[in-house]
Amino acid sequence: MPAAEPPPVPGDTLSPPIDLSRAGNGSFDTGRSKLHIGLWLLVEWLFVTNSLQISSKLRIMALRAFGATIGEGVIMRQRIRVKFPWRLTIGDRCWIGEGVWIHNQGELTIGADTVISQESFLTTGSHDLRATMDLVITPVHIGSGVWVTSRCMVLSGVEIGDNAVILPGSVVDRSVEAQSIYGGVPARFVKRREMDT
């Protein structure tokens, strides 16, 4: 059964659609030349995204060679995608699961001892929904000791506090309190995370 349409607002008129042929990149700048980006796409395909390449160390070397700041003891599994490594910072001892997509057109920071589980999607980009559909970039910060469980989405502008947990399949569209558990679509507070000290 199809979803019910929202009731019309009295006196409201339907706006014309935004002409997507006029949408642009706003103030977005890649920060690198087209040649550099093209070379990164080749290296990413060979050494980072490639499911046959099983070495986490080689994957990290490739990312660092293109400007990523990655701490010690980090494990990165196969099929990871990173849009712009020069805008990625990952702290010590993190685990990045298989199939994670880091779509970081802007700065994306992950603290130490954080887990980003399989098939999760992190993005710093969105669009101007009101007028132009221009690209809008807002940084994402994920704290230390966080667990973003499998198949979650973390959207632009989000800050996730230290020791927070995001339950499987959640969509995080706003900032998350430290040492809390959030879940759902959209993700909302579930309870405090109890931790032994």
Side-chain angles (χ1 to χ4, degrees):
M1 185 156 124
E5 292 288 328
V9 177
D12 193 19
T13 59
L14 187 64
S15 299
I18 296 170
D19 181 350
L20 293 181
S21 70
R22 298 173 64 187
N25 286 333
S27 60
F28 172 69
D29 179 7
T30 63
R32 298 293 188 273
S33 69
K34 289 182 179 179
L35 178 61
H36 190 92
I37 293 169
L39 185 57
W40 164 244
L41 291 173
L42 178 62
V43 169
E44 181 191 37
W45 179 72
L46 287 171
F47 299 111
V48 180
T49 304
N50 188 345
S51 61
L52 300 177
Q53 195 286 101
I54 60 172
S55 171
S56 181
K57 290 181 181 178
L58 187 57
R59 196 169 288 112
I60 290 167
M61 279 177 41
L63 285 159
R64 284 177 177 156
F66 278 82
T69 301
I70 300 176
E72 298 303 315
V74 172
I75 297 171
M76 302 183 88
R77 300 295 183 199
Q78 297 97 316
R79 297 191 303 109
I80 292 170
R81 295 176 65 187
V82 177
K83 182 73 172 177
F84 295 145
W86 49 93
R87 292 186 173 152
L88 177 63
T89 301
I90 299 176
D92 295 337
R93 301 173 303 277
C94 289
W95 301 343
I96 311 297
E98 187 170 351
V100 168
W101 185 1
I102 300 174
H103 194 263
N104 61 326
Q105 293 160 306
E107 296 297 326
L108 194 144
T109 306
I110 299 171
D113 301 299
T114 286
V115 178
I116 311 294
S117 288
Q118 297 87 344
E119 310 266 336
S120 286
F121 175 73
L122 318 176
T123 184
T124 61
S126 188
H127 292 274
D128 173 8
L129 299 178
R130 295 182 60 88
T132 63
M133 284 298 285
D134 282 355
L135 185 61
V136 177
I137 304 298
T138 313
V140 167
H141 176 77
I142 299 172
S144 296
V146 172
W147 183 14
V148 176
T149 63
S150 59
R151 294 196 171 177
C152 291
M153 294 179 69
V154 177
L155 304 182
S156 65
V158 163
E159 292 190 24
I160 299 179
D162 293 348
N163 296 323
V165 175
I166 310 300
L167 298 175
S170 297
V171 176
V172 184
D173 66 347
R174 62 189 62 186
S175 293
V176 167
E177 295 175 30
Q179 204 159 320
S180 297
I181 299 174
Y182 278 65
V185 180
R188 295 296 178 257
F189 177 82
V190 175
K191 62 180 181 177
R192 297 288 292 168
R193 180 183 181 184
E194 302 298 328
M195 299 181 71
D196 293 336
T197 54

